[in-house]
Amino acid sequence: MTTAPPVRQHDDLALFWAVTFTTSWAFWLTAITLGGSAMSFPTVVPHLLAGFGPMIGAIVIRARRARRRRPVPAHTVRLRLSTRLFWVPPLLVAASATVVAAALLASLLGGPVVSLTAGQNLISTVGGPVAFFVSMLVAGPLSEEPGWRGTAYPRLRASLSRFQAGLLLGVVWAVWHLPLFFVPGTIQAGFGLFSWSGLLFTISVIPMALLTGYAYERAGVAASIVVHFGVNATLALLGVSSPMTLAFIVAVQTVVAVALLAWQRDRRADPPVDVDSHPHRVVTRA
């Protein structure tokens, strides 16, 4: 497997950011202009399409790489069924556990009582457990992870550590979500941008990026998808909205993410090789 030079990976990143933000924000601006709830027609159409901005960015980068016959980034994690998928179930459980633990801690310290009532109502509203599962899987995990983790993260890792790459991607990811605060009917609009809940939701994206980045390095995009799904689904089932609970989620996920990143050795890839200057040299990865 050949690896791409950092300069080319930075070029890919610039294009990925441009395509992702332009696509998503254009659709969300359309949803805002249409007015009405994010879950009602016609607003629901651009609202849902906006979430696929990162995937569209990933497709553009992959297509250009294939057309120009460029090598894959050195830190791309390939799916190995025999070894990597072992990590998927425990990572899913751990992701959900961070939210449950934070909610229980908040409840013990005087916050909202942990209840599944909001989750049961949501499941009934969307049409049952299957519809809930599909909607939570597609809206966020499947539509975003091939872009954020599968495309942007390996390219950031060309010049950054796991912590630095996750932190930077978390900030970008948080900024990407901002238009949702102005789309009626979204969770973010319910919080309000200039509220404690809105601020804490925005901050919470950063430890989420660290957790999904760790998962990606363990088992690729499949793992980052299940971590994203586990957190989102548990948040929805518990109906988390109070600033106190959100603050505990930020704290718990930050501690867990930092501990996991510190525990796993940061394996740097071999130095990248400019394939134009060394057309016959190949860098292999174990």
Side-chain angles (χ1 to χ4, degrees):
M1 182 191 303
T2 57
T3 57
V7 64
R8 290 183 177 175
Q9 296 183 38
H10 293 159
D11 180 50
D12 284 348
L13 273 171
L15 179 59
F16 174 77
W17 303 137
V19 173
T20 297
F21 274 82
T22 299
T23 302
S24 294
W25 283 20
F27 278 124
W28 276 325
L29 179 59
T30 302
I32 295 169
T33 303
L34 288 173
S37 172
M39 291 297 104
S40 64
F41 186 82
T43 308
V44 65
V45 176
H47 168 60
L48 293 179
L49 289 175
F52 286 87
M55 179 177 285
I56 294 171
I59 292 171
V60 169
I61 296 302
R62 303 291 177 86
R64 186 174 76 159
R65 193 191 75 198
R67 186 177 67 252
R68 298 184 178 183
R69 297 183 179 180
R70 289 184 175 179
V72 299
H75 286 274
T76 296
V77 179
R78 298 278 187 172
L79 179 64
R80 296 189 181 97
L81 296 178
S82 60
T83 56
R84 297 198 182 280
L85 283 186
F86 166 81
W87 287 97
V88 170
L91 286 170
L92 174 60
V93 172
S96 297
T98 61
V99 178
V100 173
L104 289 173
L105 285 171
S107 178
L108 289 172
L109 294 175
V113 176
V114 177
S115 172
L116 291 175
T117 301
Q120 292 170 343
N121 293 335
L122 177 60
I123 291 173
S124 298
T125 300
V126 299
V130 174
F132 172 78
F133 175 85
V134 172
S135 63
M136 296 304 300
L137 182 62
V138 173
L142 279 178
S143 62
E144 297 179 29
E145 289 305 316
W148 299 128
R149 253 57 61 178
T151 302
Y153 183 83
R155 289 164 173 80
L156 288 171
R157 288 283 279 122
S159 55
L160 301 174
S161 69
R162 291 171 302 155
F163 182 80
Q164 292 170 331
L167 190 63
L168 177 56
L169 190 52
V171 172
V172 174
W173 198 14
V175 172
W176 177 79
H177 280 91
L178 290 181
L180 284 169
F181 285 96
F182 305 97
V183 181
T186 63
I187 295 173
Q188 292 82 358
F191 289 157
L193 179 59
F194 302 105
S195 68
W196 282 113
S197 292
L199 174 63
L200 288 164
F201 168 83
T202 302
I203 294 174
S204 72
V205 176
I206 297 175
M208 261 288 286
L210 294 174
L211 287 174
T212 48
Y214 171 83
Y216 174 79
E217 294 218 2
R218 276 298 184 186
V221 173
S224 66
I225 286 173
V226 299
V227 168
H228 195 158
F229 169 81
V231 171
N232 283 7
T234 309
L235 286 170
L237 288 173
L238 297 182
V240 173
S241 61
S242 87
M244 186 175 184
T245 305
L246 288 168
F248 271 101
I249 290 172
V250 171
V252 169
Q253 291 189 342
T254 298
V255 169
V256 171
V258 170
L260 288 173
L261 290 171
W263 174 62
Q264 182 190 14
R265 181 182 175 186
D266 188 358
R267 295 183 177 88
R268 306 294 294 182
D270 294 330
V273 176
D274 189 334
V275 293
D276 289 337
S277 301
H278 304 83
H280 301 297
R281 184 176 176 185
V282 177
V283 176
T284 60
R285 295 176 66 234

